[in-house]
Amino acid sequence: MSELNKVLLTSGLTVVSGTLIYVLGNILVRLFLEPVVELRKVIGETGDALIYFANVYTSPIKEGGQASDKQLECMKTLRQAATRLMGKAYGAPCLWAFAIFSIVPWRAKIREAHSALIGLSNMVGDRDTRAVNQKRQEVERALGLFQEESAKS
């Protein structure tokens, strides 16, 4: 084999292997990492909604009154957060691999948070503020929100 053929073969294999690594890397990022990042983003948005609407979902509806526009918005936002959580959780393949390292919660915990968020959205304006706060705490526990790092260990 001539020196020119060796150089061409080496450079050709380098280009092909580099392209293959680039394509496989992109597949891994799009299939595994992006869905996990999206799930983490939804978890953060859920925490944001819990803080933002805290004064709304803990305020009882006046007796014989209708829910205010803000309470209706709160109900809708919490329910959307619940459905987005489940959608992102089931859209992330091999979620367990990331849950092992506590990057995201386990699917069972996400289901718990989903259920608690639906319950919380149904309880907006309820007079039993203790039960409302209990639902909020269930969501926070399930998603690992607002916990000190030392408490997680």
Side-chain angles (χ1 to χ4, degrees):
M1 186 181 273
S2 74
E3 198 62 36
L4 179 61
N5 286 342
K6 287 181 183 178
V7 169
L8 290 175
L9 180 62
T10 302
S11 61
L13 286 175
T14 302
V15 168
V16 168
S17 63
T19 303
L20 186 61
I21 289 171
Y22 174 76
V23 168
L24 290 176
N26 272 334
I27 288 171
L28 289 175
V29 165
R30 298 220 190 264
L31 272 179
F32 299 104
L33 295 180
E34 281 183 8
V36 168
V37 169
E38 286 295 315
L39 176 59
R40 298 242 339 147
K41 191 183 298 185
V42 170
I43 290 170
E45 291 168 357
T46 301
D48 179 61
L50 289 175
I51 294 169
Y52 182 77
F53 287 110
N55 65 325
V56 177
Y57 59 74
T58 56
S59 298
I61 296 174
K62 292 182 178 76
E63 200 167 318
Q66 295 279 9
S68 69
D69 289 342
K70 198 70 169 171
Q71 287 171 321
L72 293 173
E73 179 188 358
C74 176
M75 290 176 197
K76 179 181 174 185
T77 301
L78 293 174
R79 191 167 288 270
Q80 283 176 335
T83 58
R84 290 187 69 215
L85 267 175
M86 290 304 289
K88 296 298 180 184
Y90 283 103
C94 298
L95 191 65
W96 59 268
F98 295 94
I100 287 173
F101 296 105
S102 299
I103 295 170
V104 293
W106 292 92
R107 261 198 193 108
K109 290 290 187 183
I110 293 172
R111 279 192 296 272
E112 286 175 27
H114 171 266
S115 177
L117 277 167
I118 294 293
L120 184 58
S121 75
N122 291 338
M123 296 174 79
V124 170
D126 196 307
R127 293 200 174 284
D128 187 1
T129 56
R130 179 176 285 160
V132 171
N133 280 319
Q134 184 177 350
K135 282 292 180 199
R136 176 191 48 80
Q137 289 171 348
E138 287 176 30
V139 174
E140 291 173 357
R141 261 193 311 276
L143 296 179
L145 295 170
F146 317 125
Q147 296 176 358
E148 293 294 321
E149 288 299 317
S150 61
K152 286 185 179 181
S153 304

PDB file of all heavy atoms in Angstrom, residues 82-114:
ATOM      1  N   ALA A  82     -49.564  19.287  36.905  1.00  0.00           N
ATOM      2  CA  ALA A  82     -49.711  17.844  37.141  1.00  0.00           C
ATOM      3  C   ALA A  82     -49.620  17.066  35.825  1.00  0.00           C
ATOM      4  O   ALA A  82     -48.911  16.055  35.750  1.00  0.00           O
ATOM      5  CB  ALA A  82     -51.040  17.558  37.832  1.00  0.00           C
ATOM      6  N   THR A  83     -50.306  17.540  34.812  1.00  0.00           N
ATOM      7  CA  THR A  83     -50.296  16.812  33.544  1.00  0.00           C
ATOM      8  C   THR A  83     -48.945  16.933  32.844  1.00  0.00           C
ATOM      9  O   THR A  83     -48.471  15.967  32.240  1.00  0.00           O
ATOM     10  CB  THR A  83     -51.418  17.300  32.606  1.00  0.00           C
ATOM     11  OG1 THR A  83     -51.261  18.695  32.374  1.00  0.00           O
ATOM     12  CG2 THR A  83     -52.782  17.037  33.199  1.00  0.00           C
ATOM     13  N   ARG A  84     -48.308  18.091  32.949  1.00  0.00           N
ATOM     14  CA  ARG A  84     -46.986  18.252  32.332  1.00  0.00           C
ATOM     15  C   ARG A  84     -45.954  17.353  33.013  1.00  0.00           C
ATOM     16  O   ARG A  84     -45.083  16.791  32.345  1.00  0.00           O
ATOM     17  CB  ARG A  84     -46.550  19.710  32.391  1.00  0.00           C
ATOM     18  CG  ARG A  84     -47.373  20.597  31.450  1.00  0.00           C
ATOM     19  CD  ARG A  84     -46.859  21.996  31.351  1.00  0.00           C
ATOM     20  NE  ARG A  84     -45.577  21.965  30.655  1.00  0.00           N
ATOM     21  CZ  ARG A  84     -44.566  22.779  30.938  1.00  0.00           C
ATOM     22  NH1 ARG A  84     -44.662  23.666  31.887  1.00  0.00           N
ATOM     23  NH2 ARG A  84     -43.435  22.686  30.263  1.00  0.00           N
ATOM     24  N   LEU A  85     -46.058  17.217  34.327  1.00  0.00           N
ATOM     25  CA  LEU A  85     -45.143  16.330  35.048  1.00  0.00           C
ATOM     26  C   LEU A  85     -45.233  14.904  34.518  1.00  0.00           C
ATOM     27  O   LEU A  85     -44.219  14.272  34.237  1.00  0.00           O
ATOM     28  CB  LEU A  85     -45.483  16.316  36.543  1.00  0.00           C
ATOM     29  CG  LEU A  85     -44.770  17.271  37.460  1.00  0.00           C
ATOM     30  CD1 LEU A  85     -45.344  17.177  38.856  1.00  0.00           C
ATOM     31  CD2 LEU A  85     -43.286  17.022  37.477  1.00  0.00           C
ATOM     32  N   MET A  86     -46.456  14.412  34.408  1.00  0.00           N
ATOM     33  CA  MET A  86     -46.636  13.034  33.936  1.00  0.00           C
ATOM     34  C   MET A  86     -46.182  12.886  32.491  1.00  0.00           C
ATOM     35  O   MET A  86     -45.534  11.895  32.132  1.00  0.00           O
ATOM     36  CB  MET A  86     -48.094  12.598  34.081  1.00  0.00           C
ATOM     37  CG  MET A  86     -48.527  12.413  35.515  1.00  0.00           C
ATOM     38  SD  MET A  86     -47.508  11.250  36.443  1.00  0.00           S
ATOM     39  CE  MET A  86     -47.994   9.717  35.686  1.00  0.00           C
ATOM     40  N   GLY A  87     -46.512  13.855  31.669  1.00  0.00           N
ATOM     41  CA  GLY A  87     -46.104  13.791  30.266  1.00  0.00           C
ATOM     42  C   GLY A  87     -44.599  13.752  30.114  1.00  0.00           C
ATOM     43  O   GLY A  87     -44.058  12.939  29.351  1.00  0.00           O
ATOM     44  N   LYS A  88     -43.912  14.604  30.832  1.00  0.00           N
ATOM     45  CA  LYS A  88     -42.445  14.638  30.744  1.00  0.00           C
ATOM     46  C   LYS A  88     -41.822  13.391  31.361  1.00  0.00           C
ATOM     47  O   LYS A  88     -40.812  12.888  30.871  1.00  0.00           O
ATOM     48  CB  LYS A  88     -41.885  15.889  31.429  1.00  0.00           C
ATOM     49  CG  LYS A  88     -42.306  17.184  30.778  1.00  0.00           C
ATOM     50  CD  LYS A  88     -41.817  17.297  29.369  1.00  0.00           C
ATOM     51  CE  LYS A  88     -42.260  18.624  28.768  1.00  0.00           C
ATOM     52  NZ  LYS A  88     -41.901  18.762  27.376  1.00  0.00           N
ATOM     53  N   ALA A  89     -42.427  12.871  32.423  1.00  0.00           N
ATOM     54  CA  ALA A  89     -41.886  11.662  33.064  1.00  0.00           C
ATOM     55  C   ALA A  89     -41.987  10.462  32.129  1.00  0.00           C
ATOM     56  O   ALA A  89     -41.058   9.664  32.045  1.00  0.00           O
ATOM     57  CB  ALA A  89     -42.615  11.380  34.366  1.00  0.00           C
ATOM     58  N   TYR A  90     -43.103  10.334  31.446  1.00  0.00           N
ATOM     59  CA  TYR A  90     -43.262   9.189  30.556  1.00  0.00           C
ATOM     60  C   TYR A  90     -42.593   9.409  29.207  1.00  0.00           C
ATOM     61  O   TYR A  90     -42.398   8.470  28.457  1.00  0.00           O
ATOM     62  CB  TYR A  90     -44.743   8.833  30.396  1.00  0.00           C
ATOM     63  CG  TYR A  90     -45.236   8.100  31.619  1.00  0.00           C
ATOM     64  CD1 TYR A  90     -46.010   8.735  32.572  1.00  0.00           C
ATOM     65  CD2 TYR A  90     -44.878   6.783  31.842  1.00  0.00           C
ATOM     66  CE1 TYR A  90     -46.428   8.078  33.712  1.00  0.00           C
ATOM     67  CE2 TYR A  90     -45.281   6.110  32.977  1.00  0.00           C
ATOM     68  CZ  TYR A  90     -46.057   6.763  33.899  1.00  0.00           C
ATOM     69  OH  TYR A  90     -46.454   6.107  35.035  1.00  0.00           O
ATOM     70  N   GLY A  91     -42.198  10.630  28.931  1.00  0.00           N
ATOM     71  CA  GLY A  91     -41.466  10.913  27.697  1.00  0.00           C
ATOM     72  C   GLY A  91     -39.968  10.737  27.846  1.00  0.00           C
ATOM     73  O   GLY A  91     -39.231  10.850  26.873  1.00  0.00           O
ATOM     74  N   ALA A  92     -39.510  10.457  29.051  1.00  0.00           N
ATOM     75  CA  ALA A  92     -38.076  10.308  29.313  1.00  0.00           C
ATOM     76  C   ALA A  92     -37.734   8.829  29.459  1.00  0.00           C
ATOM     77  O   ALA A  92     -38.044   8.218  30.475  1.00  0.00           O
ATOM     78  CB  ALA A  92     -37.692  11.067  30.578  1.00  0.00           C
ATOM     79  N   PRO A  93     -37.096   8.250  28.443  1.00  0.00           N
ATOM     80  CA  PRO A  93     -36.709   6.841  28.559  1.00  0.00           C
ATOM     81  C   PRO A  93     -35.574   6.681  29.575  1.00  0.00           C
ATOM     82  O   PRO A  93     -34.796   7.600  29.794  1.00  0.00           O
ATOM     83  CB  PRO A  93     -36.235   6.477  27.150  1.00  0.00           C
ATOM     84  CG  PRO A  93     -35.842   7.760  26.525  1.00  0.00           C
ATOM     85  CD  PRO A  93     -36.690   8.815  27.161  1.00  0.00           C
ATOM     86  N   CYS A  94     -35.526   5.540  30.201  1.00  0.00           N
ATOM     87  CA  CYS A  94     -34.487   5.215  31.197  1.00  0.00           C
ATOM     88  C   CYS A  94     -34.429   6.244  32.320  1.00  0.00           C
ATOM     89  O   CYS A  94     -33.355   6.586  32.803  1.00  0.00           O
ATOM     90  CB  CYS A  94     -33.124   5.083  30.530  1.00  0.00           C
ATOM     91  SG  CYS A  94     -33.050   3.764  29.318  1.00  0.00           S
ATOM     92  N   LEU A  95     -35.597   6.705  32.740  1.00  0.00           N
ATOM     93  CA  LEU A  95     -35.661   7.682  33.819  1.00  0.00           C
ATOM     94  C   LEU A  95     -35.046   7.123  35.096  1.00  0.00           C
ATOM     95  O   LEU A  95     -34.440   7.857  35.873  1.00  0.00           O
ATOM     96  CB  LEU A  95     -37.119   8.087  34.063  1.00  0.00           C
ATOM     97  CG  LEU A  95     -37.353   9.280  34.957  1.00  0.00           C
ATOM     98  CD1 LEU A  95     -36.797  10.539  34.315  1.00  0.00           C
ATOM     99  CD2 LEU A  95     -38.827   9.447  35.238  1.00  0.00           C
ATOM    100  N   TRP A  96     -35.164   5.824  35.281  1.00  0.00           N
ATOM    101  CA  TRP A  96     -34.625   5.173  36.472  1.00  0.00           C
ATOM    102  C   TRP A  96     -33.119   5.404  36.607  1.00  0.00           C
ATOM    103  O   TRP A  96     -32.611   5.544  37.715  1.00  0.00           O
ATOM    104  CB  TRP A  96     -34.931   3.674  36.453  1.00  0.00           C
ATOM    105  CG  TRP A  96     -34.362   2.987  35.252  1.00  0.00           C
ATOM    106  CD1 TRP A  96     -34.991   2.780  34.057  1.00  0.00           C
ATOM    107  CD2 TRP A  96     -33.054   2.429  35.114  1.00  0.00           C
ATOM    108  NE1 TRP A  96     -34.142   2.138  33.173  1.00  0.00           N
ATOM    109  CE2 TRP A  96     -32.947   1.912  33.811  1.00  0.00           C
ATOM    110  CE3 TRP A  96     -31.964   2.327  35.956  1.00  0.00           C
ATOM    111  CZ2 TRP A  96     -31.803   1.299  33.326  1.00  0.00           C
ATOM    112  CZ3 TRP A  96     -30.809   1.708  35.476  1.00  0.00           C
ATOM    113  CH2 TRP A  96     -30.748   1.206  34.178  1.00  0.00           C
ATOM    114  N   ALA A  97     -32.422   5.464  35.470  1.00  0.00           N
ATOM    115  CA  ALA A  97     -30.970   5.662  35.526  1.00  0.00           C
ATOM    116  C   ALA A  97     -30.626   7.025  36.122  1.00  0.00           C
ATOM    117  O   ALA A  97     -29.636   7.174  36.838  1.00  0.00           O
ATOM    118  CB  ALA A  97     -30.370   5.528  34.127  1.00  0.00           C
ATOM    119  N   PHE A  98     -31.442   8.016  35.849  1.00  0.00           N
ATOM    120  CA  PHE A  98     -31.219   9.350  36.398  1.00  0.00           C
ATOM    121  C   PHE A  98     -31.757   9.446  37.824  1.00  0.00           C
ATOM    122  O   PHE A  98     -31.238  10.217  38.630  1.00  0.00           O
ATOM    123  CB  PHE A  98     -31.860  10.403  35.500  1.00  0.00           C
ATOM    124  CG  PHE A  98     -31.219  10.477  34.142  1.00  0.00           C
ATOM    125  CD1 PHE A  98     -31.728   9.758  33.073  1.00  0.00           C
ATOM    126  CD2 PHE A  98     -30.090  11.249  33.942  1.00  0.00           C
ATOM    127  CE1 PHE A  98     -31.131   9.810  31.821  1.00  0.00           C
ATOM    128  CE2 PHE A  98     -29.481  11.310  32.702  1.00  0.00           C
ATOM    129  CZ  PHE A  98     -30.002  10.588  31.641  1.00  0.00           C
ATOM    130  N   ALA A  99     -32.783   8.658  38.131  1.00  0.00           N
ATOM    131  CA  ALA A  99     -33.347   8.653  39.488  1.00  0.00           C
ATOM    132  C   ALA A  99     -32.382   8.011  40.483  1.00  0.00           C
ATOM    133  O   ALA A  99     -32.335   8.415  41.647  1.00  0.00           O
ATOM    134  CB  ALA A  99     -34.693   7.934  39.496  1.00  0.00           C
ATOM    135  N   ILE A 100     -31.614   7.045  40.025  1.00  0.00           N
ATOM    136  CA  ILE A 100     -30.628   6.391  40.901  1.00  0.00           C
ATOM    137  C   ILE A 100     -29.671   7.423  41.484  1.00  0.00           C
ATOM    138  O   ILE A 100     -29.296   7.365  42.647  1.00  0.00           O
ATOM    139  CB  ILE A 100     -29.846   5.292  40.132  1.00  0.00           C
ATOM    140  CG1 ILE A 100     -30.747   4.086  39.889  1.00  0.00           C
ATOM    141  CG2 ILE A 100     -28.579   4.889  40.871  1.00  0.00           C
ATOM    142  CD1 ILE A 100     -30.143   3.021  39.004  1.00  0.00           C
ATOM    143  N   PHE A 101     -29.286   8.401  40.656  1.00  0.00           N
ATOM    144  CA  PHE A 101     -28.345   9.430  41.095  1.00  0.00           C
ATOM    145  C   PHE A 101     -29.051  10.682  41.623  1.00  0.00           C
ATOM    146  O   PHE A 101     -28.444  11.727  41.770  1.00  0.00           O
ATOM    147  CB  PHE A 101     -27.410   9.801  39.942  1.00  0.00           C
ATOM    148  CG  PHE A 101     -26.547   8.647  39.506  1.00  0.00           C
ATOM    149  CD1 PHE A 101     -26.817   7.958  38.342  1.00  0.00           C
ATOM    150  CD2 PHE A 101     -25.485   8.232  40.295  1.00  0.00           C
ATOM    151  CE1 PHE A 101     -26.033   6.885  37.939  1.00  0.00           C
ATOM    152  CE2 PHE A 101     -24.703   7.163  39.909  1.00  0.00           C
ATOM    153  CZ  PHE A 101     -24.970   6.480  38.734  1.00  0.00           C
ATOM    154  N   SER A 102     -30.353  10.565  41.885  1.00  0.00           N
ATOM    155  CA  SER A 102     -31.175  11.658  42.428  1.00  0.00           C
ATOM    156  C   SER A 102     -31.175  12.901  41.548  1.00  0.00           C
ATOM    157  O   SER A 102     -31.319  14.018  42.039  1.00  0.00           O
ATOM    158  CB  SER A 102     -30.718  12.032  43.841  1.00  0.00           C
ATOM    159  OG  SER A 102     -30.861  10.923  44.693  1.00  0.00           O
ATOM    160  N   ILE A 103     -31.032  12.699  40.246  1.00  0.00           N
ATOM    161  CA  ILE A 103     -31.116  13.817  39.307  1.00  0.00           C
ATOM    162  C   ILE A 103     -32.580  14.191  39.110  1.00  0.00           C
ATOM    163  O   ILE A 103     -32.914  15.374  38.997  1.00  0.00           O
ATOM    164  CB  ILE A 103     -30.424  13.454  37.974  1.00  0.00           C
ATOM    165  CG1 ILE A 103     -28.925  13.253  38.223  1.00  0.00           C
ATOM    166  CG2 ILE A 103     -30.672  14.521  36.918  1.00  0.00           C
ATOM    167  CD1 ILE A 103     -28.163  12.667  37.063  1.00  0.00           C
ATOM    168  N   VAL A 104     -33.429  13.184  39.073  1.00  0.00           N
ATOM    169  CA  VAL A 104     -34.883  13.373  38.997  1.00  0.00           C
ATOM    170  C   VAL A 104     -35.531  12.395  39.972  1.00  0.00           C
ATOM    171  O   VAL A 104     -34.915  11.403  40.355  1.00  0.00           O
ATOM    172  CB  VAL A 104     -35.438  13.131  37.566  1.00  0.00           C
ATOM    173  CG1 VAL A 104     -34.956  14.185  36.599  1.00  0.00           C
ATOM    174  CG2 VAL A 104     -35.095  11.741  37.067  1.00  0.00           C
ATOM    175  N   PRO A 105     -36.774  12.661  40.374  1.00  0.00           N
ATOM    176  CA  PRO A 105     -37.462  11.706  41.248  1.00  0.00           C
ATOM    177  C   PRO A 105     -37.842  10.428  40.482  1.00  0.00           C
ATOM    178  O   PRO A 105     -37.940  10.433  39.253  1.00  0.00           O
ATOM    179  CB  PRO A 105     -38.727  12.451  41.681  1.00  0.00           C
ATOM    180  CG  PRO A 105     -38.558  13.857  41.259  1.00  0.00           C
ATOM    181  CD  PRO A 105     -37.548  13.876  40.171  1.00  0.00           C
ATOM    182  N   TRP A 106     -38.083   9.378  41.215  1.00  0.00           N
ATOM    183  CA  TRP A 106     -38.565   8.137  40.621  1.00  0.00           C
ATOM    184  C   TRP A 106     -39.964   8.366  40.053  1.00  0.00           C
ATOM    185  O   TRP A 106     -40.688   9.255  40.493  1.00  0.00           O
ATOM    186  CB  TRP A 106     -38.616   7.022  41.678  1.00  0.00           C
ATOM    187  CG  TRP A 106     -37.255   6.615  42.129  1.00  0.00           C
ATOM    188  CD1 TRP A 106     -36.553   7.115  43.179  1.00  0.00           C
ATOM    189  CD2 TRP A 106     -36.417   5.631  41.525  1.00  0.00           C
ATOM    190  NE1 TRP A 106     -35.338   6.504  43.280  1.00  0.00           N
ATOM    191  CE2 TRP A 106     -35.224   5.582  42.274  1.00  0.00           C
ATOM    192  CE3 TRP A 106     -36.550   4.789  40.426  1.00  0.00           C
ATOM    193  CZ2 TRP A 106     -34.166   4.724  41.958  1.00  0.00           C
ATOM    194  CZ3 TRP A 106     -35.502   3.925  40.126  1.00  0.00           C
ATOM    195  CH2 TRP A 106     -34.334   3.903  40.879  1.00  0.00           C
ATOM    196  N   ARG A 107     -40.352   7.561  39.086  1.00  0.00           N
ATOM    197  CA  ARG A 107     -41.679   7.709  38.473  1.00  0.00           C
ATOM    198  C   ARG A 107     -42.798   7.589  39.507  1.00  0.00           C
ATOM    199  O   ARG A 107     -43.792   8.290  39.427  1.00  0.00           O
ATOM    200  CB  ARG A 107     -41.886   6.666  37.377  1.00  0.00           C
ATOM    201  CG  ARG A 107     -41.643   7.230  36.034  1.00  0.00           C
ATOM    202  CD  ARG A 107     -42.233   6.412  34.906  1.00  0.00           C
ATOM    203  NE  ARG A 107     -41.630   6.933  33.699  1.00  0.00           N
ATOM    204  CZ  ARG A 107     -40.726   6.307  32.981  1.00  0.00           C
ATOM    205  NH1 ARG A 107     -40.343   5.103  33.320  1.00  0.00           N
ATOM    206  NH2 ARG A 107     -40.205   6.866  31.919  1.00  0.00           N
ATOM    207  N   ALA A 108     -42.630   6.714  40.478  1.00  0.00           N
ATOM    208  CA  ALA A 108     -43.659   6.557  41.521  1.00  0.00           C
ATOM    209  C   ALA A 108     -43.822   7.858  42.294  1.00  0.00           C
ATOM    210  O   ALA A 108     -44.946   8.244  42.631  1.00  0.00           O
ATOM    211  CB  ALA A 108     -43.282   5.414  42.461  1.00  0.00           C
ATOM    212  N   LYS A 109     -42.735   8.547  42.564  1.00  0.00           N
ATOM    213  CA  LYS A 109     -42.803   9.833  43.266  1.00  0.00           C
ATOM    214  C   LYS A 109     -43.468  10.888  42.378  1.00  0.00           C
ATOM    215  O   LYS A 109     -44.210  11.739  42.869  1.00  0.00           O
ATOM    216  CB  LYS A 109     -41.406  10.308  43.676  1.00  0.00           C
ATOM    217  CG  LYS A 109     -40.797   9.487  44.768  1.00  0.00           C
ATOM    218  CD  LYS A 109     -41.542   9.741  46.059  1.00  0.00           C
ATOM    219  CE  LYS A 109     -40.877   9.077  47.224  1.00  0.00           C
ATOM    220  NZ  LYS A 109     -41.644   9.264  48.450  1.00  0.00           N
ATOM    221  N   ILE A 110     -43.196  10.837  41.091  1.00  0.00           N
ATOM    222  CA  ILE A 110     -43.830  11.783  40.163  1.00  0.00           C
ATOM    223  C   ILE A 110     -45.328  11.525  40.112  1.00  0.00           C
ATOM    224  O   ILE A 110     -46.127  12.467  40.086  1.00  0.00           O
ATOM    225  CB  ILE A 110     -43.168  11.712  38.778  1.00  0.00           C
ATOM    226  CG1 ILE A 110     -41.727  12.238  38.874  1.00  0.00           C
ATOM    227  CG2 ILE A 110     -43.965  12.514  37.752  1.00  0.00           C
ATOM    228  CD1 ILE A 110     -40.894  12.049  37.645  1.00  0.00           C
ATOM    229  N   ARG A 111     -45.718  10.247  40.136  1.00  0.00           N
ATOM    230  CA  ARG A 111     -47.154   9.929  40.178  1.00  0.00           C
ATOM    231  C   ARG A 111     -47.784  10.453  41.468  1.00  0.00           C
ATOM    232  O   ARG A 111     -48.904  10.952  41.455  1.00  0.00           O
ATOM    233  CB  ARG A 111     -47.372   8.427  40.032  1.00  0.00           C
ATOM    234  CG  ARG A 111     -47.320   7.944  38.593  1.00  0.00           C
ATOM    235  CD  ARG A 111     -47.833   6.515  38.458  1.00  0.00           C
ATOM    236  NE  ARG A 111     -47.002   5.549  39.160  1.00  0.00           N
ATOM    237  CZ  ARG A 111     -45.942   4.942  38.642  1.00  0.00           C
ATOM    238  NH1 ARG A 111     -45.578   5.186  37.403  1.00  0.00           N
ATOM    239  NH2 ARG A 111     -45.256   4.068  39.346  1.00  0.00           N
ATOM    240  N   GLU A 112     -47.071  10.330  42.591  1.00  0.00           N
ATOM    241  CA  GLU A 112     -47.577  10.872  43.862  1.00  0.00           C
ATOM    242  C   GLU A 112     -47.764  12.382  43.762  1.00  0.00           C
ATOM    243  O   GLU A 112     -48.782  12.919  44.214  1.00  0.00           O
ATOM    244  CB  GLU A 112     -46.595  10.575  44.999  1.00  0.00           C
ATOM    245  CG  GLU A 112     -46.569   9.146  45.468  1.00  0.00           C
ATOM    246  CD  GLU A 112     -45.493   8.915  46.518  1.00  0.00           C
ATOM    247  OE1 GLU A 112     -45.126   9.885  47.241  1.00  0.00           O
ATOM    248  OE2 GLU A 112     -45.001   7.785  46.615  1.00  0.00           O
ATOM    249  N   ALA A 113     -46.776  13.056  43.190  1.00  0.00           N
ATOM    250  CA  ALA A 113     -46.868  14.512  43.038  1.00  0.00           C
ATOM    251  C   ALA A 113     -48.015  14.876  42.109  1.00  0.00           C
ATOM    252  O   ALA A 113     -48.753  15.832  42.375  1.00  0.00           O
ATOM    253  CB  ALA A 113     -45.557  15.070  42.492  1.00  0.00           C
ATOM    254  N   HIS A 114     -48.188  14.103  41.047  1.00  0.00           N
ATOM    255  CA  HIS A 114     -49.295  14.328  40.103  1.00  0.00           C
ATOM    256  C   HIS A 114     -50.626  14.238  40.824  1.00  0.00           C
ATOM    257  O   HIS A 114     -51.477  15.125  40.715  1.00  0.00           O
ATOM    258  CB  HIS A 114     -49.217  13.295  38.974  1.00  0.00           C
ATOM    259  CG  HIS A 114     -50.401  13.279  38.080  1.00  0.00           C
ATOM    260  ND1 HIS A 114     -51.463  12.428  38.283  1.00  0.00           N
ATOM    261  CD2 HIS A 114     -50.711  14.011  37.004  1.00  0.00           C
ATOM    262  CE1 HIS A 114     -52.373  12.642  37.348  1.00  0.00           C
ATOM    263  NE2 HIS A 114     -51.943  13.598  36.558  1.00  0.00           N
TER     264      HIS A 114
END
